[in-house]
Amino acid sequence: MAPLGLVTFLTDYGLDDPFVGQCHAVMAHLATAVRVVDLTHAIAPGDIAHGALLLADAVGRLPPAVHLAVIDPGVGTGRRAIVVAAGDRFLVGPDNGLLAPAVAALGGGVAAWVISDPPALPWPAARTFDGRDVFAPVAARLAAGDDPQRFGPAVDLVALQPHALPAPVPCHGGLDAAVVHVDRFGNLALAARPSDWPGGWPPAAVAITTPDGTRWSATAGLTFGDVPTGGLVCHPDAAGRLALAVNAGNAAEVLGLDRGDVVELRAVGTH
Amino acid sequence: MAPLGLVTFLTDYGLDDPFVGQCHAVMAHLATAVRVVDLTHAIAPGDIAHGALLLADAVGRLPPAVHLAVIDPGVGTGRRAIVVAAGDRFLVGPDNGLLAPAVAALGGGVAAWVISDPPALPWPAARTFDGRDVFAPVAARLAAGDDPQRFGPAVDLVALQPHALPAPVPCHGGLDAAVVHVDRFGNLALAARPSDWPGGWPPAAVAITTPDGTRWSATAGLTFGDVPTGGLVCHPDAAGRLALAVNAGNAAEVLGLDRGDVVELRAVGTH
Amino acid sequence: MAPLGLVTFLTDYGLDDPFVGQCHAVMAHLATAVRVVDLTHAIAPGDIAHGALLLADAVGRLPPAVHLAVIDPGVGTGRRAIVVAAGDRFLVGPDNGLLAPAVAALGGGVAAWVISDPPALPWPAARTFDGRDVFAPVAARLAAGDDPQRFGPAVDLVALQPHALPAPVPCHGGLDAAVVHVDRFGNLALAARPSDWPGGWPPAAVAITTPDGTRWSATAGLTFGDVPTGGLVCHPDAAGRLALAVNAGNAAEVLGLDRGDVVELRAVGTH
């Protein structure tokens, strides 16, 4: 099998500290020909749930790669460092649930290993920076074609830390779903997919009720352009989630919603 | 002709969402040997005018490359996706005026194509993420040497959406010009170039009047060091624009100016 | 000697302007096979002291590379542009003290050169953007294997601008040290290392007094996990500095400390 040659990288490190760059430098050093692509480093510190969701939503629309993810409040404790094989990819990160939804999105894990013997670096490993000293080195060498067995013993997949993403609550004529991500444009991704919709997506229109009781009417469509400027559309987004968007506007501001808020969606009319 | 091998990338995606990284991953997948350089992703959502200006200002001091730019409030509507050949480069993006000033800065377009058949990806194209599914794939393959005709039919250059950058208003003894960019250091780039100055740049000094009527005196120079610390200089910046700067200070704060403000500049004395 | 092949890049340019990307593009153009890794571009404008510290702290845990650093309030004045050879690396930047602590951290300089003849670019050099037109081109070509003599004459190392990092003040039973960096997680890096501690690190515990007179008790440990959730630990961080951290918390917020604050640390008990 040809080496994957590509690492995608997601953390809660931010870009102000040199942490991300130090991990990049280590990977460039250990695997000269491997490319490393930053997915995001803006996850709030320690927010495993948010990172797990964004990673799981992305993997299905990423090319085959080693998916390196580090949100690791337990660094320096006994939590394990793991590699999971899923589909034609590897996932590398702490065993704290961060990788689990992405593994599931890829159809489930094939095998897993506990990292006990990461590639050697020219400095002693720190106790608080496994991203640089453990995870990035393993990801780089996996992407260069190394066998995961080189880095530690196999572990039973069922022994790994699970993590469930928020799910919709189906109701008569619709569902309730939490906002799981608000992007820069104010688009609201929901804990629901078109396949979750009772009777099949799309209904003719959707009535939306926000936590404060306000009701909105949205077109059930496929893209922003299905509604006039300023109009509200509920559509499958680029990650396959149902999302609320305002054409040429900011749905989060218009609806007054933030991540974690639960909205009621009900069919209006017939498809 | 050897492949350009380089893509420059400008969007309004920000760096908090995984959008930029997903585009990078697609390009790494489709064109392993192509390098991708981020110009900026911090343009305000949908601000085509600002993105067009920064791109046009940059291209003249960038090496030959495919210039990928995506500020695309019309994604999912009927707006066209285009490739423009200009000089020894290609520009790729939506046909909404974003590329037009850069094309002009490169001496005008040579040919253009409408993208109807982008490179295939391992997932179905989304309706709301042409950056990942249309523009980045085409840019990557163009940089790898593919012929633009592969991605769709030629289109007449005059049929493309135009976009004019702000221009100075010449006056007796000077000009009026809008602030078109404020950089991180507070330097104020103006909608004017040295060649716009009546009688030729530099005059001995420049009298500046801000919108609130305050008057300032600036040295007409070439660099910050032409004035003492805290002094105000009007000089051609690294993009070739007339700019207002305070040596070791922040001109935007000192003058109380922001993007869009129009300032009056008048010659004082003789060169 | 094989080319270093790697450039690390630190500036105060931020990521909102296209400055960093323009430097990357120049390097990709001049040295196709060289990789460029961003350490950070979030240093406050002109804050040479902070950049010098982060660079010096990083170099010891970076692979051999050309370390390009540009915080350059004197651009356009007479300050020199320099290359310093130290260990198996080169450092490139303005001669304003920015590089000096990193050179010291690498065991001192071996040789230095003043840049008078940077690689040619397809545009005239600007007076205010030496990052793009001078430093990045030299760094790229050095990483590609060019001899530093190609870019200008040698200069005596003692003629370069010095810069001293903050040092601890040893006291009976401990030391006083300034906070020199606050990272995204609120960890507080101090101007002290374990080797600075009287009698050797670690003591059994550390009493900490903040500038407002508040006293705290910290465990002297090796990592966050040495204390319970919410506990305060003083430990050597990933850069080798003594640091204050709260397990699963934000020490900067808990202790009310910011960069520049001086804290008293005193041993409690016996090791």
Side-chain angles (χ1 to χ4, degrees):
Chain A
M1 197 178 71
L4 286 163
L6 180 66
V7 172
T8 73
F9 190 20
L10 175 150
T11 73
D12 63 350
Y13 288 166
L15 292 176
D16 287 1
D17 296 298
F19 304 145
V20 167
Q22 288 175 282
C23 295
H24 273 268
V26 160
M27 291 190 270
H29 178 64
L30 292 176
T32 310
V34 165
R35 285 175 73 151
V36 182
V37 161
D38 295 305
L39 276 188
T40 178
H41 301 290
I43 307 293
D47 192 343
I48 295 168
H50 197 196
L53 181 127
L54 288 182
L55 184 64
D57 274 9
V59 286
R61 278 91 172 173
L62 288 172
V66 176
H67 303 298
L68 169 63
V70 188
I71 300 174
D72 193 15
V75 64
T77 69
R79 71 94 190 87
R80 297 182 292 193
I82 56 171
V83 175
V84 182
D88 49 1
R89 295 132 197 265
F90 290 109
L91 299 101
V92 177
D95 181 26
N96 61 13
L98 174 62
L99 308 180
V103 169
L106 291 166
V110 174
W113 298 263
V114 170
I115 302 171
S116 59
D117 188 22
L121 291 171
W123 51 83
R127 293 290 296 271
T128 52
F129 198 2
D130 280 358
R132 179 191 69 191
D133 295 339
V134 175
F135 296 118
V138 167
R141 290 306 314 162
L142 283 174
D146 279 6
D147 193 302
Q149 300 184 51
R150 174 178 296 203
F151 308 117
V155 60
D156 197 323
L157 283 158
V158 300
L160 301 183
Q161 192 72 23
H163 182 82
L165 297 183
V169 177
C171 303
H172 182 69
L175 50 80
D176 294 353
V179 174
V180 292
H181 183 65
V182 182
D183 74 16
R184 188 185 198 218
F185 302 94
N187 300 313
L188 300 155
L190 302 175
R193 296 176 186 282
S195 56
D196 295 320
W197 193 263
W201 188 262
V206 180
I208 291 159
T209 310
T210 56
D212 66 359
T214 313
R215 295 198 57 178
W216 302 81
S217 177
T219 299
L222 293 175
T223 182
F224 316 136
D226 291 343
V227 293
T229 295
L232 182 64
V233 62
C234 184
H235 70 109
D237 71 10
R241 294 190 170 278
L242 285 180
L244 298 171
V246 170
N247 188 7
N250 184 306
E253 288 177 8
V254 169
L255 301 184
L257 291 173
D258 208 344
R259 189 162 71 99
D261 290 337
V262 175
V263 292
E264 300 177 15
L265 294 89
R266 300 291 181 271
V268 176
T270 319
H271 180 52
Chain B
M1 195 179 74
L4 285 163
L6 180 67
V7 172
T8 72
F9 190 20
L10 175 150
T11 73
D12 62 350
Y13 289 166
L15 292 175
D16 288 0
D17 295 298
F19 305 146
V20 168
Q22 288 174 283
C23 295
H24 273 268
V26 160
M27 290 189 271
H29 178 64
L30 292 176
T32 311
V34 166
R35 286 176 74 151
V36 182
V37 161
D38 296 304
L39 276 188
T40 178
H41 301 290
I43 307 292
D47 193 342
I48 294 168
H50 197 196
L53 181 128
L54 288 182
L55 183 65
D57 274 9
V59 287
R61 279 92 173 173
L62 288 172
V66 176
H67 302 300
L68 169 63
V70 188
I71 300 174
D72 193 15
V75 63
T77 69
R79 71 93 189 90
R80 298 183 291 194
I82 56 171
V83 174
V84 182
D88 49 2
R89 295 131 196 264
F90 291 109
L91 299 100
V92 177
D95 180 26
N96 60 14
L98 174 62
L99 308 180
V103 170
L106 290 167
V110 175
W113 299 262
V114 170
I115 303 171
S116 58
D117 188 23
L121 291 171
W123 51 82
R127 293 290 297 272
T128 52
F129 197 2
D130 280 359
R132 180 191 68 192
D133 295 339
V134 175
F135 296 118
V138 167
R141 291 306 314 163
L142 283 174
D146 279 6
D147 193 302
Q149 301 183 52
R150 173 177 299 204
F151 308 117
V155 61
D156 198 324
L157 283 158
V158 300
L160 300 182
Q161 192 72 22
H163 182 84
L165 297 183
V169 177
C171 305
H172 181 70
L175 50 79
D176 295 353
V179 175
V180 292
H181 183 66
V182 182
D183 75 16
R184 188 185 199 217
F185 302 95
N187 300 313
L188 299 156
L190 301 176
R193 297 175 186 282
S195 56
D196 295 319
W197 193 263
W201 189 261
V206 180
I208 292 159
T209 310
T210 56
D212 65 359
T214 312
R215 294 198 58 178
W216 302 81
S217 177
T219 299
L222 292 176
T223 181
F224 316 135
D226 291 343
V227 294
T229 296
L232 182 65
V233 63
C234 184
H235 69 108
D237 71 9
R241 293 190 171 278
L242 286 180
L244 298 170
V246 169
N247 188 6
N250 185 306
E253 288 178 7
V254 169
L255 301 185
L257 290 174
D258 208 345
R259 189 162 72 99
D261 291 336
V262 175
V263 293
E264 300 178 14
L265 294 90
R266 299 290 180 273
V268 177
T270 320
H271 180 56
Chain C
M1 196 178 74
L4 286 163
L6 180 67
V7 172
T8 72
F9 191 20
L10 175 150
T11 73
D12 63 350
Y13 288 166
L15 292 175
D16 287 0
D17 295 298
F19 305 145
V20 168
Q22 288 175 283
C23 295
H24 273 268
V26 161
M27 291 190 270
H29 178 64
L30 292 176
T32 310
V34 166
R35 286 176 73 150
V36 182
V37 161
D38 296 305
L39 277 187
T40 178
H41 302 290
I43 307 291
D47 193 342
I48 295 168
H50 196 196
L53 181 127
L54 288 181
L55 184 64
D57 275 10
V59 285
R61 279 93 173 171
L62 288 171
V66 176
H67 302 299
L68 169 62
V70 187
I71 299 175
D72 193 16
V75 64
T77 69
R79 71 94 189 89
R80 298 182 292 193
I82 55 171
V83 175
V84 182
D88 50 1
R89 296 133 195 265
F90 291 109
L91 299 101
V92 177
D95 181 26
N96 60 14
L98 174 63
L99 308 179
V103 169
L106 290 167
V110 174
W113 299 263
V114 170
I115 302 171
S116 58
D117 188 22
L121 290 171
W123 52 82
R127 293 289 298 271
T128 52
F129 198 1
D130 281 358
R132 180 190 69 190
D133 294 339
V134 175
F135 297 119
V138 167
R141 291 306 313 163
L142 283 173
D146 278 7
D147 193 302
Q149 300 184 52
R150 173 177 298 203
F151 308 116
V155 61
D156 197 324
L157 283 157
V158 300
L160 300 183
Q161 193 72 23
H163 182 83
L165 297 183
V169 177
C171 304
H172 181 70
L175 51 80
D176 295 352
V179 174
V180 292
H181 183 65
V182 183
D183 74 17
R184 188 184 200 219
F185 302 95
N187 300 312
L188 300 155
L190 302 175
R193 297 177 185 282
S195 56
D196 295 320
W197 193 262
W201 189 263
V206 180
I208 291 158
T209 309
T210 56
D212 67 359
T214 312
R215 295 199 56 179
W216 302 81
S217 178
T219 299
L222 293 176
T223 182
F224 315 136
D226 290 343
V227 293
T229 296
L232 182 65
V233 62
C234 185
H235 71 109
D237 72 8
R241 293 190 172 278
L242 286 180
L244 298 171
V246 169
N247 188 7
N250 185 305
E253 287 178 8
V254 170
L255 301 184
L257 291 173
D258 208 344
R259 189 162 71 99
D261 290 336
V262 175
V263 292
E264 301 178 14
L265 293 89
R266 299 292 181 270
V268 177
T270 320
H271 180 53

